Amino acid sequence: NLGLSGFIKGEVDLVIAGINKGPNLGEDTEYSGTVSAAKEATLLGVKSFAISLTARNTFFFSTASFVAKEIAKIILEKGLPENTFLNINVPNIPLDEVKSYQITSLGKRDYKSQLVQKRDPRGKLYYWLGGDGDRFQLINGTDFFAIKNGHISITPLIIDRTNYNVMEKLKILIPEKVKVSF
């Protein structure tokens, strides 16, 4: 937001958030600063995508940077639907071992969250929510499935998080003329 709202002079055609060290799969997208940066750019009317390399060490950045350049070219030439941005995850393998691109949905992690207490360099306590991030449901068509099988995952995300499928059900459950008293 700061960059697009004033630090960058002139027009911005595309925001590429990343390359993130580590995956942004499934629910990770709700907590990811990388995904949030792409979302913010989209909110401000600039085409964008987040890109992550699914590794914790020994990174194949050459693979992810090649993918980023190719996706950037496509978006700059063809655009994206309004209010849509992409979340791209690249398997941490050499480019010649990548099988293909797959358009995916967000998968589901099986979190076992843990609260970890640590101290910062000044001796102050801070807390980190962590968990077993390597457990997930392996469902065909999801980002986890694509990565597990050596494919690049491209998940289209949308700004409007309204659950339209539930709106009519809620209107039945919660009639408009419910008396509200405080």
Side-chain angles (χ1 to χ4, degrees):
N1 191 318
L2 293 171
L4 294 175
S5 296
F7 283 131
I8 298 171
K9 303 299 179 205
E11 194 170 317
V12 175
D13 297 318
L14 176 67
V15 169
I16 301 171
I19 300 170
N20 185 65
K21 287 181 173 181
N24 276 311
L25 302 164
E27 293 90 341
D28 298 344
T29 60
E30 295 297 322
Y31 307 102
S32 166
T34 307
V35 174
S36 291
K39 179 181 177 182
E40 188 70 25
T42 301
L43 284 167
L44 295 170
V46 178
K47 295 179 281 293
S48 66
F49 66 90
I51 185 162
S52 301
L53 188 56
T54 59
R56 299 287 178 206
N57 52 40
T58 315
F59 301 96
F60 283 92
F61 280 111
S62 59
T63 302
S65 64
F66 176 84
V67 171
K69 286 187 274 186
E70 293 302 307
I71 297 296
K73 287 180 204 173
I74 292 167
I75 291 173
L76 289 170
E77 180 183 319
K78 300 185 182 207
L80 282 172
E82 189 174 354
N83 294 318
T84 300
F85 60 103
L86 304 179
N87 182 45
I88 301 169
N89 281 274
V90 180
N92 191 44
I93 55 179
L95 185 60
D96 63 355
E97 293 180 24
V98 172
K99 293 181 181 169
S100 68
Y101 293 88
Q102 290 189 347
I103 306 302
T104 58
S105 62
L106 294 176
K108 176 91 175 110
R109 276 199 191 280
D110 292 326
Y111 278 113
K112 291 197 177 199
S113 290
Q114 303 165 347
L115 182 63
V116 179
Q117 180 179 314
K118 295 187 176 189
R119 290 199 180 271
D120 70 13
R122 294 185 181 113
K124 295 191 183 235
L125 285 177
Y126 72 93
Y127 297 90
W128 187 267
L129 285 174
D132 184 359
D134 293 332
R135 296 180 52 173
F136 50 86
Q137 297 174 13
L138 197 57
I139 300 168
N140 192 8
T142 65
D143 49 7
F144 287 107
F145 192 88
I147 291 298
K148 180 76 173 168
N149 289 289
H151 301 276
I152 295 162
S153 166
I154 303 174
T155 306
L157 300 176
I158 190 163
I159 297 298
D160 184 353
R161 295 179 56 199
T162 305
N163 188 344
Y164 292 99
N165 296 326
V166 176
M167 289 179 76
E168 290 304 315
K169 291 176 186 172
L170 281 176
K171 287 178 183 177
I172 293 168
L173 292 172
I174 307 169
E176 290 181 32
K177 296 183 180 183
V178 171
K179 182 177 180 182
V180 179
S181 61
F182 295 96

